[in-house]
Coordinates of all heavy atoms in Angstrom, one line a residue:
G109 N 10.4 -0.1 4.8 CA 9.7 0.8 3.9 C 9.7 0.3 2.5 O 9.2 1.0 1.6
K135 N -2.2 -19.0 -0.2 CA -2.3 -17.8 0.7 C -1.0 -17.7 1.5 O -0.4 -18.7 1.8 CB -3.5 -18.0 1.7 CG -4.9 -18.0 1.0 CD -6.0 -18.2 2.0 CE -7.3 -18.2 1.3 NZ -8.4 -18.4 2.3
L210 N -7.6 15.1 20.6 CA -7.3 13.7 20.8 C -8.5 12.8 20.6 O -8.4 11.7 20.1 CB -6.7 13.5 22.1 CG -5.3 14.2 22.4 CD1 -4.8 14.1 23.8 CD2 -4.2 13.6 21.4
A231 N -7.3 -11.1 -8.9 CA -6.2 -11.7 -9.6 C -5.2 -10.8 -10.2 O -4.0 -10.9 -10.1 CB -6.7 -12.7 -10.7
E232 N -5.7 -9.7 -10.9 CA -4.9 -8.8 -11.6 C -4.8 -7.5 -10.8 O -5.8 -6.8 -10.5 CB -5.4 -8.5 -13.0 CG -5.4 -9.7 -13.9 CD -5.7 -9.4 -15.3 OE1 -5.7 -8.2 -15.7 OE2 -6.0 -10.3 -16.1
G265 N 5.0 8.8 3.5 CA 4.6 8.9 2.1 C 5.5 9.8 1.3 O 6.6 10.2 1.7
S269 N 5.2 18.6 -4.4 CA 4.8 20.0 -4.4 C 4.2 20.4 -5.7 O 4.6 20.0 -6.8 CB 6.1 20.9 -4.2 OG 6.7 20.6 -3.0
A286 N -12.9 5.1 0.9 CA -13.1 6.1 2.0 C -12.7 7.5 1.6 O -11.7 7.6 0.8 CB -12.4 5.6 3.3
N293 N -4.3 14.5 8.3 CA -4.3 14.3 6.8 C -5.1 15.3 6.0 O -4.9 15.4 4.8 CB -4.8 12.9 6.5 CG -3.9 11.8 7.0 OD1 -2.8 12.0 7.3 ND2 -4.5 10.6 7.1
G304 N -4.9 -5.9 -0.5 CA -4.2 -5.1 0.5 C -3.4 -4.0 0.0 O -2.6 -3.4 0.7
G333 N -4.0 20.8 -2.1 CA -4.4 21.8 -1.1 C -3.3 21.8 0.0 O -2.2 21.3 -0.2
A338 N 0.0 20.8 7.3 CA 0.8 21.0 6.1 C 1.3 22.5 6.2 O 0.7 23.4 6.8 CB -0.1 20.9 4.9
V347 N 1.3 4.9 0.0 CA 1.0 3.6 -0.5 C 1.1 2.6 0.6 O 2.1 2.5 1.3 CB 2.0 3.2 -1.6 CG1 1.7 1.7 -2.1 CG2 1.8 4.1 -2.8

Side-chain angles (χ1 to χ4, degrees):
K135 294 181 180 180
L210 294 174
E232 297 190 14
S269 297
N293 294 339
V347 174

